[in-house]
Amino acid sequence: MKIALISCLQQDAAYASWDEVPAEKLFNSDFFKLANIYAEKIYGADRVYFLSTKYAILKPQQIVSPYENHFGDEDMQRMRCRRIISQLILDGCDLESDEFLFLADEHYTTCIHEIGMIQSMIMPLQEMDSSNAVNYLANELEDHGLLPQSVKARLNFSNLLKSTNQICKEMEL
């Protein structure tokens, strides 16, 4: 079975006052949207989970309350990763034969890798910062004709601003 685990950070402000909301609606960053499309359409995930600083993992339809995202110190991160592993096992995932795609940064992938219980891990974003991760996912989706036009326009504008800022910094030197 193919299982995707997606990091989720930025929550949709529209749901901040809600008591409960489905996990898939709670998060709204471009990264989160692109990672979901990538996991389902390119990777072909049989199951998708969201990595959560509060809940460890969330199923897309799972009802949760909005919460503050805090990674915490290394000990807290290790404890969270052990909870992730436990929840995957309880949900019927086979850590020895299933394949796991981590669309997450080093906060998750490093400690999950250190635990060593998952045999097959794909971590294409491990060495990337958030900007490069979004661009990687966007390029992959565009190559497959799956990049939403609204996201493409925002990313083009954002990349133009970054390039302009970089040129301005270089000219000041």
Side-chain angles (χ1 to χ4, degrees):
M1 184 165 18
K2 290 181 157 188
I3 299 166
L5 296 122
I6 300 170
S7 180
C8 48
L9 295 174
Q10 183 180 355
Q11 295 181 24
D12 192 329
Y15 296 108
S17 64
W18 288 38
D19 290 333
E20 297 179 328
V21 63
E24 66 186 348
K25 301 272 187 215
L26 185 58
F27 306 99
N28 70 339
S29 69
D30 284 338
F31 170 82
F32 184 75
K33 293 172 188 173
L34 296 174
N36 270 304
I37 298 168
Y38 181 93
E40 292 175 6
K41 305 285 185 178
I42 294 176
Y43 179 65
D46 299 304
R47 290 187 194 173
V48 175
Y49 296 101
F50 306 140
L51 298 167
S52 164
T53 57
K54 181 176 181 179
Y55 298 100
I57 63 171
L58 295 167
K59 295 177 184 178
Q61 297 295 320
Q62 186 174 341
I63 304 297
V64 296
S65 298
Y67 61 94
E68 293 290 325
N69 282 318
H70 296 289
F71 278 106
D73 61 18
E74 287 184 30
D75 289 336
M76 185 178 285
Q77 291 174 34
R78 283 189 191 94
M79 184 175 68
R80 184 179 305 114
C81 289
R82 287 191 293 273
R83 283 183 55 213
I84 290 168
I85 297 294
S86 296
Q87 286 178 314
L88 290 170
I89 292 169
L90 289 172
D91 204 41
C93 297
D94 185 337
L95 304 183
E96 291 185 11
S97 64
D98 290 342
E99 180 179 87
F100 293 83
L101 170 69
F102 282 84
L103 296 175
D105 64 12
E106 292 178 347
H107 283 100
Y108 289 107
T109 57
T110 300
C111 64
I112 292 287
H113 189 68
E114 287 173 1
I115 292 172
M117 293 181 70
I118 296 177
Q119 299 302 309
S120 179
M121 295 173 59
I122 301 168
M123 301 179 284
L125 311 177
Q126 185 174 13
E127 303 289 325
M128 296 181 199
D129 62 20
S130 60
S131 177
N132 287 334
V134 168
N135 285 329
Y136 171 85
L137 292 169
N139 289 335
E140 289 292 313
L141 293 176
E142 185 159 34
D143 288 350
H144 289 83
L146 298 169
L147 184 64
Q149 193 62 36
S150 60
V151 174
K152 185 177 182 176
R154 271 196 316 279
L155 292 176
N156 286 339
F157 183 71
S158 176
N159 288 333
L160 177 63
L161 284 176
K162 288 177 189 171
S163 296
T164 303
N165 288 338
Q166 183 63 34
I167 291 168
C168 290
K169 285 181 184 178
E170 291 172 3
M171 290 176 66
E172 290 174 5
L173 296 174

